Every structure is written in C-alpha cells, then in structure tokens.
Amino acid sequence: MTYQNTRRDLLKLAGATAAASVVATGKAFSQQAGRVVVIGGGFGGATVARYLRRAGVAVTLIDSNPNYITCPFSNYVLSGVNQLASVTKSFDGLKAAGVTLVTGTVTGINTTAKTVAVGGASAPIPYDRLVISPGIDFKFSAIQGYNEAATEKMPHAFKAGAQTTLLRNQLVAMPDGGTFVMAVPDNPFRCPPGPYERASQIAYYFKQAKPRSKIIIVDAKEAFSKQGLFTAAWAELYPGMIEWRPPSKGGGKTVSVDLAAMTVATEFDKVKGDVVNVIPPQRSGTVVDLAGLADGDWCAVDAKTFESKKVPGIHLVGDAILAGAMPKSGFSANNQGKIAAAAIVNMLANKPAESPSYINTCYSLVAPDYGISVANVYTVGADGNIAAVPNTGGVSPAGAPAAFRKQEADYARGWYASISADIWG
Ligand SMILES: Cc1cc2nc3c(=O)[nH]c(=O)nc-3n(C[C@H](O)[C@H](O)[C@H](O)COP(=O)(O)OP(=O)(O)OC[C@H]3O[C@@H](n4cnc5c(N)ncnc54)[C@H](O)[C@@H]3O)c2cc1C
C-alpha cells in the first residue's frame, strides 16, 4: 500500500467512526434533558460544544477570552508568512449554532452542587455533565529565573496571541548575524513537532531577511518527532543555519535563564542568544485543580468516554489528559472531543459507550511549499489505555520529490481550513 493510500484509508476510517456515532446517538437522545457546561473554547472544548449542540443538547461554553487564537499555523506568523488575524477564530459560529457563550475565567467548580463559578458572573452555572478542555499551563518553577514576568523578555509563544506577536517583533528587530536560541523541554509537551517546525519557519525568514543569522535549539531530548525528515529538510533548505543540541551535544534540560545576560543554562552548558524562546515544561491547565482532577501533571480519563477517573460526571479532553499513545495536538483534541460528545449523548440517554477509533495527523511546514506529516490510528488497548494500531499511518516518505512535499503543504493548509470550519464554523 502506498503512503497516500494509507493516509486516505485512515482518514476515511476515522471520519466515518466519529461522524456516525454522533449522528446515530444524537437521534436517540432527542427526548432527553441534560445541561452540559464546557470549559475551554479551544480545539477540544469547542468541538465538544458544537457536536453536543448538533445532537440537541443544551450547552454553555465558557472561555476566558472573547475569541480563540490557534497555535497551529502560529509558527507561520513568526516567519511573517501569515498574520495573527488569520489564526484568530471568532465564537460567533458557535453562538449561531445555538451554543450559549460565557466570556470569563472559571474560578470555582462545586462537584457536589454541580455548578461552575465564573469570575465576574453573578451566579454559578449549573450542569448535569461538565467537560473541561483547558489546554496546558507552564511549570515555571522548573527553570530558575523564569516566570510569568520573564516571558515578556524571553517569550514562550506556546500559547498563541500576544506572545506570538512579541516573538515575531523580537525576530524582526534582531540584526543580521544574530543568534536565535530556543529551549525545548522533555516529553510530554504540547505539539511534539511544534518547536522544530518553529525553527524551520524562523530559518525560512532568516534566509530571506537575515541570512547570516543562526538558530540554536537547546533540547532536553536525544530524539524528536519527524526528526529524520526535519534534519534532511534543514540540510537541503537551510544548510548550516540550524544547530540542534541534544544532551549528548551540550544541550539538555534548561535549568536556569539569565534575563540580563540573555543566556539559557543546561546541566552541561550555557548559551547566549540575541532572541531567546523558552518553551517550559508543562502540565494540564490549572483550572482542573479546582475539582481535584489532576493525577500528577495530567488528568487520567476513561479512554472510551473521556470521563475523569477521579470525579464522575466530569469529562476532560485535549492536551490536559493522559491519552496513552495519542500526542497532544489540536487534531487529537478535536477527535477526542467528537468521541466525548458521542459518549455524553449516550450517557444522558442511559446508553452504553461505543468502542471508538481515534486518529491523529500532524502536518509541519518546513517552508511554505515543503510539508511533512505523521499520522496514526489508535484504539483502546488491552490495558484500557489508548494504543496505536500497528501498521497504520506513519511519517511522510524520506527522499520524496519536491512535488510531493508541495502537495503535503497544500494538505496542511486544507487541514487547517477544514478543522477550523468544523470547530468554530
Ligand atoms: C507552536 C504550536 C504549533 C502547533 N501546531 C499544531 C498543528 O499543526 N496541528 C495540531 O494538531 N496541533 C498543533 N499544536 C497543538 C495544539 O495547539 C494543541 O494541542 C491544542 O490547542 C489543544 O487543544 P485544547 O482544547 O486541549 O487546549 P487549548 O486549545 O489550549 O484550549 C484551551 C482553552 O481553555 C481556556 N481556559 C483555560 N482555563 C480556563 C479557565 N479557568 N476559564 C475559562 N477558560 C479557560 C483557554 O482560554 C483556551 O481557550 C500546536 C501547538 C503549538 C504551541
């Protein structure tokens, strides 16, 4: 089977599974009552809200912000290929679909009364089932000298928005011949290929605007996602510009930063940059602590229903959860959101959960016309966790011709447009 056939079959399988279960269970649900509150209007939460609403459920969606800015495609804002407006999604499409929107930060969850308190709102919001897709927060204490205030000097840009604009402005202001340093954490973290796509996009910008500049990636890991494809592309498109330093080559875990000296220190070395991008270690969004949902850094859930293993009646999806072999991606969060919506519809109708298939594809643009990807189908393994189905998906082939890379770049843009429409309308 060719690579393209594998991809086509895989998408067909997953699309059919997710759509069929929501539509089928939606019909059965129509006479049932049930109020669902969703916290988080990102890839996971907005998907759950839209698909529950489509099945006739009354849904309230709460997000801190009046709109949502996607991390996917934000690396192309850093390179100047895209503008921030192109990755900014309005919640109007969800409102038009009948979802009740509340803008505010959740400050309390009462699991006995089944209510959610929102800062600034007059009364707590009641729920029959609660869904939380809060994304990530940063473990600032893991890096000495780095905290919320330090992100103004050394941005993380791993939550898109003002941080993306700040990093872009720093790159534009950097003189030709300068050094961009990126500190990358150990697994697990949001979007495993994200930092390497970022290095690629910044190299694309430097190649045109500041060709004497360098990029140093200080990495806590000895290996990374799509590594062979990235490094081959860097050698071809940006020779000598990107230096990747794993622990064995002077990189390692970032242990401290010096904002005045603009240095990043690992256990082994110290490196100075003109622009420094620190991606700190991560954990589930801290809102989960309001209901005691975390199990260490992340939240454990039932793989079929995404219901919390700690507190019944609360479901979690997206980056915040322990999802077995599934990576923390927007694609995964969207897929999990559809499966969680179908399970909730069944639960409200006192029906058992179905046996889902899960899917993920992560595209990366090394240059505007050079795309690479990794894809997989997943199932519930013997231990009850999400496990990869052998011989499905895989990475793009090595040594493919330019036309193939261009086609993958077009697929990436198509994916972004279609998932955005699917979620936010
Ligand atoms: C640079 C970069 C590039 C990426 N590229 C890709 C890609 O190409 N493809 C891909 O699939 N994935 C990509 N990702 C990963 C993707 O962004 C995440 O996996 C995805 O956003 C996870 O969705 P989520 O719903 O779990 O969290 P989020 O999308 O982060 O949504 C969480 C929402 O919850 C809200 N929230 C949190 N706490 C509260 C509270 N207390 N009260 C109210 N609201 C709250 C937040 O405001 C936010 O809107 C990328 C990530 C980065 C950083």
Side-chain angles (χ1 to χ4, degrees):
M1 186 181 278
T2 65
Y3 171 76
Q4 289 207 2
N5 281 341
T6 309
R7 171 66 49 81
R8 210 175 297 127
D9 293 348
L10 178 150
L11 292 173
K12 236 191 286 170
L13 166 67
T17 308
S21 58
V22 172
V23 171
T25 49
K27 269 190 210 144
F29 171 73
S30 52
Q31 293 95 18
Q32 303 292 318
R35 294 160 305 180
V36 177
V37 170
V38 180
I39 304 172
F43 280 83
T47 300
V48 177
R50 178 173 289 279
Y51 277 77
L52 281 177
R53 190 64 213 125
R54 196 172 282 179
V57 180
V59 187
T60 300
L61 176 64
I62 308 167
D63 199 284
S64 300
N65 301 304
N67 53 30
Y68 177 78
I69 303 177
T70 70
C71 284
F73 276 55
S74 69
N75 283 332
Y76 321 139
V77 176
L78 298 178
S79 57
V81 171
N82 280 358
Q83 303 300 310
L84 201 66
S86 68
V87 291
T88 303
K89 309 297 166 189
S90 159
F91 290 130
D92 287 351
L94 286 161
K95 274 189 218 164
V99 174
T100 301
L101 258 296
V102 174
T103 302
T105 296
V106 170
T107 52
I109 299 171
N110 185 328
T111 56
T112 311
K114 292 194 165 186
T115 56
V116 173
V118 180
S122 49
I125 303 168
Y127 66 82
D128 295 307
R129 288 200 167 262
L130 177 63
V131 181
I132 314 182
S133 187
I136 51 144
D137 271 309
F138 299 111
K139 292 166 68 178
F140 287 120
S141 60
I143 303 175
Q144 202 189 333
Y146 199 65
N147 52 32
E148 190 76 54
T151 66
E152 293 302 314
K153 184 99 190 266
M154 295 182 176
H156 52 74
F158 242 57
K159 288 188 184 186
Q163 280 276 301
T164 315
T165 304
L166 177 63
L167 184 53
R168 168 67 186 162
N169 290 345
Q170 290 182 349
L171 292 165
V172 170
M174 191 188 90
D176 189 13
T179 302
F180 169 67
V181 172
M182 176 167 48
V184 183
D186 206 349
N187 295 320
F189 64 98
R190 157 173 282 185
C191 193
Y196 313 97
E197 181 193 63
R198 173 171 293 179
S200 311
Q201 284 296 315
I202 291 173
Y204 175 75
Y205 167 62
F206 283 172
K207 189 175 169 180
Q208 297 162 87
K210 315 176 183 221
R212 294 187 300 113
S213 306
K214 293 263 173 290
I215 296 172
I216 299 174
I217 305 170
V218 178
D219 209 325
K221 308 175 291 300
E222 286 295 337
F224 62 87
S225 173
K226 294 183 263 187
Q227 184 170 347
L229 292 168
F230 272 116
T231 50
W234 292 344
E236 183 187 335
L237 301 177
Y238 315 117
M241 191 177 265
I242 302 175
E243 185 190 344
W244 174 61
R245 293 188 189 169
S248 58
K249 291 184 184 154
K253 210 176 277 181
T254 296
V255 291
S256 67
V257 296
D258 184 329
L259 296 181
M262 288 294 278
T263 56
V264 165
T266 68
E267 299 135 291
F268 311 109
D269 204 1
K270 196 178 265 188
V271 57
K272 180 175 164 51
D274 297 286
V275 175
V276 178
N277 170 208
V278 177
I279 304 169
Q282 297 153 27
R283 54 152 296 174
S284 57
T286 52
V287 67
V288 303
D289 298 342
L290 297 174
L293 297 163
D295 208 348
D297 286 336
W298 310 102
C299 300
V301 296
D302 178 277
K304 285 188 181 175
T305 61
F306 292 92
E307 187 168 24
S308 163
K309 287 192 175 169
K310 289 216 154 172
V311 183
I314 300 184
H315 302 252
L316 298 123
V317 293
D319 286 357
I321 65 166
L322 289 162
M326 263 185 127
K328 298 187 186 301
S329 74
F331 197 123
S332 295
N334 169 255
N335 190 243
Q336 293 162 4
K338 290 174 186 173
I339 293 165
I344 290 168
V345 167
N346 277 344
M347 286 168 129
L348 291 171
N350 293 318
K351 291 186 161 186
E354 294 174 31
S355 289
S357 286
Y358 318 77
I359 187 172
N360 177 65
T361 305
C362 278
Y363 291 101
S364 303
L365 293 190
V366 185
D369 281 340
Y370 193 119
I372 56 176
S373 66
V374 58
N376 247 309
V377 174
Y378 304 86
T379 188
V380 182
D383 62 358
N385 293 320
I386 299 176
V389 178
N391 305 318
T392 59
V395 295
S396 316
F404 190 94
R405 302 292 188 223
K406 161 91 172 63
Q407 203 174 32
E408 285 237 88
D410 291 340
Y411 290 157
R413 285 182 278 267
W415 166 77
Y416 183 73
S418 62
I419 199 167
S420 296
D422 179 43
I423 299 174
W424 297 282

